[in-house]
Amino acid sequence: MNHINPKVGIVLINWNSGVKTIHCIESIQKPESFQYEIIVIDNGSKDGSLEKLKARFPDLRIFENKANMGFVGACNQGLKYFLEKQTPYCILFNNDMIADENWLRSFVAAADRYETSDILGSTIAFKNMPRLYNSTGVVMNFSGYCWDRDFGEYVDDVKRQTGEVLAVSGGSMLIKTRILSRVGYLDKDYFAYYEDLEFCLRYRRILNGNITFVSEAKCFHEYSGSSSSVPVFRYWLTVRNFWINIAKTFSLSMIWRYYPRILWDRLRGEIRNRIRNKQYKFLCIEIVSIVLFFYYLAKNVKMFFAKDYSKNYEHLLVQSQGYAEINISHIEKESKQKWKSY
């Protein structure tokens, strides 16, 4: 790893998961044609992660945060570091990913080839179910729900080709650092969740550029499966950021057309279920998040009148309303088969 003048910088975020981070770094194959540097941003780990990483990789550059800065804050540290070093490409890579042997080489080759694409994403499959896609890009509908394209679909059934997509996952995202001076960094209002979608749409709005999915750049994501109990803080982030994202990425005309339906779906679905199941903490989160929507709407009012907020990507939204359109039947099937094999 060349720390002096790398062509590519790779940013990994670690928080109490040193073993995963070590496995992730070990999976990244060294290319022969260019130099790269990996850095780790540690978000105040208390599990001995730093000691493990330093022992395994003595030359690894680690930024040690005293507190958890969130995914957004930590990623921005890495982006700023590589922008200051004038590194052309910066890759945000989740530490629970395993890179295919050609992941980095294919990613960089595509970035060189697609000169008008300043953001690129890779093929993400499930680590424990490699026949299934985790993501081939991110899509959003007119109700503000976003999801990973092809989530849970068989790789052999859906043979995605390299091409344009609305947005890509921040779990494996290549950013050309030349855009950061105009587009800015990840939005700190998010902390975690939805920040990758907002960044991609902001890039489209400001620079009217392309975002490319790269099928040849493959990696594998550790999938923890569904949980019957959702941590309150995670639920807070996902619900709050759902409304923040609408306030920040929908045009005034889109909000005028679709907000009543979005609110009705939320009241009819989530809020009714929380009342029925006596989940009052989650109910409070839903209500507070709806109120916060108007706060963030007011914060963005100047942008609304500056230009059509979504003119560069509205045509790429999924032409539907309602909840995310994902298929989990294949995941359930593969999970059962894997369980039976033990």
Side-chain angles (χ1 to χ4, degrees):
M1 293 182 288
N2 187 332
H3 291 195
I4 300 176
N5 189 29
K7 179 176 182 178
V8 185
I10 302 173
V11 180
L12 303 180
I13 313 303
N14 182 76
W15 183 59
N16 294 329
S17 53
V19 174
K20 290 182 180 179
T21 304
I22 289 172
H23 291 164
C24 178
I25 294 173
E26 289 175 339
S27 72
I28 299 173
Q29 299 293 316
K30 182 178 180 179
E32 299 177 356
S33 57
F34 57 85
Q35 299 293 331
Y36 73 99
E37 178 183 358
I38 298 174
I39 65 170
V40 171
I41 314 293
D42 184 79
N43 266 337
S45 295
K46 305 297 183 182
D47 68 336
S49 289
L50 290 175
E51 291 74 13
K52 294 175 184 176
L53 287 165
K54 290 175 181 178
R56 178 64 182 84
F57 306 105
D59 297 327
L60 178 67
R61 188 181 298 275
I62 303 175
F63 293 77
E64 301 180 28
N65 293 331
K66 294 182 179 180
N68 188 348
M69 305 295 291
F71 182 77
V72 170
C75 283
N76 284 344
Q77 282 181 269
L79 289 169
K80 290 175 183 177
Y81 170 78
F82 285 117
L83 178 62
E84 290 173 359
K85 291 191 69 170
Q86 298 182 328
T87 303
Y89 301 155
C90 181
I91 299 176
L92 305 181
F93 199 46
N94 276 10
N95 73 325
D96 58 354
M97 295 279 195
I98 296 296
D100 178 80
E101 62 180 0
N102 293 316
W103 169 78
L104 181 57
R105 186 179 295 105
S106 299
F107 227 169
V108 173
D112 290 340
R113 186 165 66 250
Y114 294 95
E115 295 182 358
T116 60
S117 291
D118 295 305
I119 300 175
L120 300 91
S122 70
T123 296
I124 305 174
F126 292 114
K127 178 183 174 183
N128 57 337
M129 295 176 286
R131 297 199 301 162
L132 299 181
Y133 283 124
N134 183 164
S135 179
T136 62
V138 176
V139 295
M140 183 171 70
N141 67 9
F142 287 104
S143 288
Y145 289 100
C146 67
W147 61 95
D148 289 301
R149 187 177 67 169
D150 299 325
F151 181 92
E153 298 292 344
Y154 282 107
V155 173
D156 290 340
D157 292 344
V158 184
K159 297 184 183 298
R160 286 289 181 184
Q161 301 298 314
T162 296
E164 186 176 14
V165 67
L166 174 71
V168 293
S169 169
S172 180
M173 175 190 287
L174 186 151
I175 300 169
K176 296 181 181 178
T177 56
R178 66 189 183 191
I179 70 172
L180 294 175
S181 61
R182 293 186 61 188
V183 176
Y185 298 93
L186 300 182
D187 192 327
K188 62 182 181 180
D189 284 339
Y190 287 81
F191 190 82
Y193 306 119
Y194 281 90
E195 76 292 325
D196 45 8
L197 174 63
E198 189 279 333
F199 180 77
C200 288
L201 298 186
R202 183 168 13 119
Y203 160 72
R204 286 187 175 278
R205 185 179 72 248
I206 295 173
L207 297 182
N208 195 24
N210 297 321
I211 297 173
T212 299
F213 159 71
V214 184
S215 62
E216 300 86 2
K218 300 175 183 178
C219 56
F220 303 90
H221 185 216
E222 182 173 319
Y223 179 64
S224 59
S226 60
S227 174
S228 58
S229 59
V230 179
V232 173
F233 183 61
R234 180 178 177 182
Y235 189 83
W236 157 249
L237 288 176
T238 54
V239 175
R240 184 202 65 165
N241 291 359
F242 166 80
W243 287 107
I244 290 177
N245 199 62
I246 293 173
K248 288 178 178 285
T249 64
F250 274 36
S251 65
L252 279 178
S253 63
M254 288 174 66
I255 292 173
W256 176 261
R257 281 179 285 163
Y258 301 117
Y259 175 78
R261 170 64 188 274
I262 297 171
L263 181 61
W264 170 245
D265 284 342
R266 210 73 196 181
L267 292 171
R268 183 185 60 178
E270 296 298 328
I271 292 181
R272 185 175 64 176
N273 288 337
R274 302 309 166 196
I275 294 173
R276 179 185 300 166
N277 297 322
K278 298 181 180 180
Q279 295 174 313
Y280 298 120
K281 288 183 179 179
F282 292 155
L283 175 63
C284 290
I285 288 173
E286 291 284 348
I287 294 172
V288 170
S289 297
I290 291 173
V291 174
L292 281 175
F293 165 75
F294 294 99
Y295 167 75
Y296 285 102
L297 199 64
K299 282 183 65 175
N300 285 348
V301 67
K302 290 183 179 180
M303 294 295 294
F304 287 136
F305 292 103
K307 59 180 71 176
D308 185 357
Y309 215 44
S310 61
K311 67 178 182 179
N312 295 331
Y313 55 80
E314 187 171 343
H315 66 288
L316 293 171
L317 299 184
V318 175
Q319 303 296 308
S320 68
Q321 288 185 263
Y323 290 109
E325 301 172 6
I326 58 176
N327 179 9
I328 64 170
S329 61
H330 296 154
I331 293 176
E332 293 173 342
K333 178 181 177 181
E334 291 291 317
S335 297
K336 290 178 181 178
Q337 289 179 350
K338 190 167 185 64
W339 177 259
K340 289 178 181 178
S341 67
Y342 284 108

